[in-house]
Amino acid sequence: MLGLGKKDTTLLIVVAVLTLCAPFILNPFPAGSAMAQFNAGYPDLMQRFVIFGIFAVGFNILFGLTGYLSFGHAAFLGVGSYSAVWIFKLFTYNVLPAIALSVVVAGLFSLLIGFVSLRRSGIYFSILTLAFAQMSFALAYSVLSNPKFNLTNGETGLQVYTDDPQWFHSDRLPDLPHLFGLSMRATHTMHMGDWSFSFNTGYYLCAVVMLLVFYLAIRIFRSPFGMMLRAVKSNQQRMNYTGLNTRPYTLAAFVISGMYAGLAGGLMAAMDPLAGAERMQWTASGEVVLMTILGGTGTLIGPVLGAGFIKYFENIFSKINDTVLHGWFGFLPDGLEDVMVFIVHPFIGKGWHLTLGLLFMLVVIFLPGGLVEGGQRLARWIRGRRAEDSRRKTEPAE
Amino acid sequence: MGILEVKNVSKNFGGLKALNNVTLDVRENTVHAIIGPNGAGKSTLLNCLVGKLIPDTGSVMFDGQSVLGRKPFEINQMGISRVFQTPEIFGDLTVMENMLIPIFARRDGAFRMHAIESVAHESAVLEQAEKMLIDMKMIDKRHMHAASMSRGDKRRLEIGMCLSQEPRLLLLDEPTAGMARADTNNTIDLLKQIKAERDITIAIIEHDMHVVFSLADRITVLAQGTPLVEDEPQNIRGNPKVREAYLGETA
Ligand SMILES: Nc1ncnc2c1ncn2[C@@H]1O[C@H](COP(=O)(O)OP(=O)(O)OP(=O)(O)O)[C@@H](O)[C@H]1O
Ligand SMILES: [Mg+2]
C-alpha cells in the first residue's frame, strides 16, 4: 500500500492509529485519581511528543543512515521557529505559510552549514556543527537584536505584538495561530465517567504532519538514495571507487534532516507563537541525539519512541514532589516512610535528569539498539515461550 | 597503443622514492601482471592510476584521456574499477545491496536524488544484480551481511561488484592474498572465465606466481620503484634479473 512493503505498511498503520488515538491512550487514569499525574494526554504535552518525534525522525535520516553525528541540529529548529513567528508578525496567523517558510529557511540554512561542515567527518564534523549552532545561538541571543535591526528580539524572544502589521489578518479570524480560522488552541474535552479526554486542533495538525513526514522517512529509507546513505556510513572508500560522489549524498541528507528540524520549529511556533534563542542552544541539540540513540539509531520508529520517552520524563517525572511521595509511601510506618522518600527524592522533581541519565546508561550498555531492540528481544522471548508451550502441549508427557 | 599508458611517473614519500620514473603500457584486452618484492611500489602505482595518489611527475592516460587531477569517483566513471588489497565492501549492508550499489552508480552516475523511488520496484537493477550474484556463485548468500562472510567470499563479492559496472579496465591488488589454496584456485578460474567472456583489460598485482603464470599475457617486474623488465611470461620465468630481485629481497 502507498508504495510500501507489507511490514512498513503495518508500521505506518500502527503509528497512525496510536497518534490519532493518543488522547485516549495517554489518559488511562481517571481525572481525579492519585494516578492522574501520570496522564500525559493534555494538548501541550501531546503536541511536544509529535513535534519532537518529527525532529528526531529527521535527525535520524542524517545520523542513522549516514552516521554523521550533528551536534547543531537545534539551530535549524530555532531558525524554523523564528521564520514562522515572522510570518505571524508580518502577514497572517494562518499556520500554513508559516510552516512552509520554516521548512524553506531551515533548508537553506542547513545547506550553508552542511556545505562547510561536511568537508570533515567524524568528530571534526560534530565539532563544526556544534560551533555553527553556538554561533547561531549567539547571533539570535544578542547580535541580531539591536534596535536598528531586530530580527530575534534577543532575550525576550520573538513574539507578536498588537502593533505588528499582520497584513492579511482580519477581525473575523482568531487572534492566535489558526488553520483557515480553526484556532490551534481549540480543544474539545470529552467526559466519560471519571475519565476526560482532550482533542486539540493543534495536536491533530501536528499529528497529521508527523504521519506525512514519517511516511516520507519510510520512503527515503527504502529508496536507492537511502541505500546509498547507508553505504556512506558503511564504507566511503568503496563508494568513491564505485563512481559515487559521497559529498552530495551526505549534503542532501543533511539538508533533509535540517528541513525536518525546521518543520518541528515551525510547528512549535504554530502551537505557541513565540521563538526564543534557547531553542538553539547546544543542550537542545544534545537532546535530539539522546532521543535518537535511546529509541534506536537507524530504525524507523526508534526516534519517535525516544522523543516520547524523554518528553514524558521531562514533563511527568519532574512534577512529582515530596508531598506526592509521602502520599505513595503513606502506608509505611513513619520512620520507614521518611527513609523511602529520602531515597527516591533525588530521582524526581528536578532530579528527573538523574533518572533519565541512569536509564540512558542502562539502555546504551544493555540495549545498544535502543528501545526498539528492547522491543524486539521481548517479542522474540514471548514467541520463544509460546513455541515452547505449544511443543509441551503436543509432546506427550513422559 | 595501450588502453592505459603510464609515462615517467615518480612518487616520493618524504625521502623515499616509492616510484621512480615508471613507464608502463597496458594493451587492450590483455591481462597484465605487475609483480615485485614487498615495498616495490606496486600498490603505490595502482593508487596513482585511480586518483588516490597524485604522482609527483609524469602522466597517466586512460583511453587517450589523462586521469591525473580527477577524483576517484570520476576515474571510476571513465571505466576503471579497482579491487583492493584487503576487500573493501559495504560490511553493514547485505550481499544483495552490495551488488545493487555499483549497478545504480553505473546507471545513475555519481549522484542522483532518487529518494522516493523504492529499491524493491527497480526490477531491472534487481535482475542484473541477481544475475551477477549467480555468476559469482553467491546467490544463496544474498541476504547475508557482507561483513559476516569469509575473506574469499568478500573478495569474490568485490570482484563481482566491480564487474557489474562493466569496466574497461579492472585493477586487482593481490586478489588471492591470505586465501586458502581452494579459494585461490576458484579465483583463478573466475578471472579466466571473466577474461574469456568479456572485453576487458585486467591489470593484476600478485605475489603468488601460480596465479600470475596462470593468467598473465604480459608481466612487468617492479623493484624499488623501477620497472626491471616487461615481457611475456615464458621469458620472465628464467630471467636472471628477476630472480635476483626476488631472491635479494625475500631470501
Ligand atoms: N602513504 C604512504 N606514506 C609513506 N610511505 C608510503 C605510503 N604508501 C607506501 N609507502 C611506502 O612506499 C613503498 C612502496 O609501498 P607499496 O605499498 O606501493 O608497496 P607494494 O609493492 O604494494 O608492497 P606489498 O607487496 O607489501 O603490498 C614502501 O616502502 C612503503 O612503505
Ligand atoms: Mg601492496
Side-chain angles (χ1 to χ4, degrees), chain B residues 37-44 46-47 82 85 173-174 205 207:
Chain B
N38 288 104
K42 305 180 297 293
S43 296
T44 305
L46 216 61
N47 286 337
R82 171 179 184 180
Q85 194 161 349
D173 196 349
E174 301 194 28
I205 292 176
H207 278 301

Side-chain angles (χ1 to χ4, degrees), chain A residues 222-237:
Chain A
R222 302 295 178 234
S223 69
F225 175 72
M227 191 171 71
M228 296 301 180
L229 296 183
R230 284 187 292 128
V232 168
K233 182 177 182 177
S234 183
N235 191 341
Q236 292 219 20
Q237 166 123 311

Side-chain angles (χ1 to χ4, degrees), chain A residues 3 216 219-220 222-225 227-228 230-231 233-235 237-245 248-249 252 256, chain B residues 50 52 73 76-77 82 84 88-92 97 101-102 104-105 110-117 119 158 165:
Chain A
L216 184 66
R219 292 294 295 251
I220 291 174
R222 302 295 178 234
S223 69
F225 175 72
M227 191 171 71
M228 296 301 180
R230 284 187 292 128
K233 182 177 182 177
S234 183
N235 191 341
Q237 166 123 311
R238 184 26 90 199
M239 285 289 272
N240 287 324
Y241 292 99
T242 305
L244 290 156
N245 191 356
Y249 278 105
I256 292 172
Chain B
V50 295
K52 187 169 184 175
F73 76 85
N76 174 279
Q77 295 275 352
R82 171 179 184 180
F84 285 80
E88 292 280 354
I89 51 174
F90 302 112
D92 304 331
E97 285 170 330
I101 288 172
F104 274 118
F111 172 72
R112 196 177 131 201
M113 186 76 198
H114 33 26
I116 301 298
E117 300 96 321
V119 174
E158 196 185 15
Q165 299 197 298

Side-chain angles (χ1 to χ4, degrees), chain A residues 241-243, chain B residues 76 81 101-103 105-106 160-167:
Chain A
Y241 292 99
T242 305
Chain B
N76 174 279
S81 281
I101 288 172
I103 299 176
R106 174 86 181 148
M161 287 163 73
C162 288
L163 285 179
S164 71
Q165 299 197 298
E166 292 168 9

Side-chain angles (χ1 to χ4, degrees), chain A residues 325-360:
Chain A
L325 285 186
H326 279 290
W328 288 355
F329 297 117
F331 65 94
L332 294 169
D334 266 357
L336 207 55
E337 178 186 334
D338 288 341
V339 171
M340 285 308 291
V341 171
F342 179 77
I343 293 174
V344 180
H345 174 84
F347 297 96
I348 50 142
K350 288 209 177 94
W352 73 273
H353 278 119
L354 189 60
T355 319
L356 186 66
L358 285 172
L359 279 171
F360 186 74

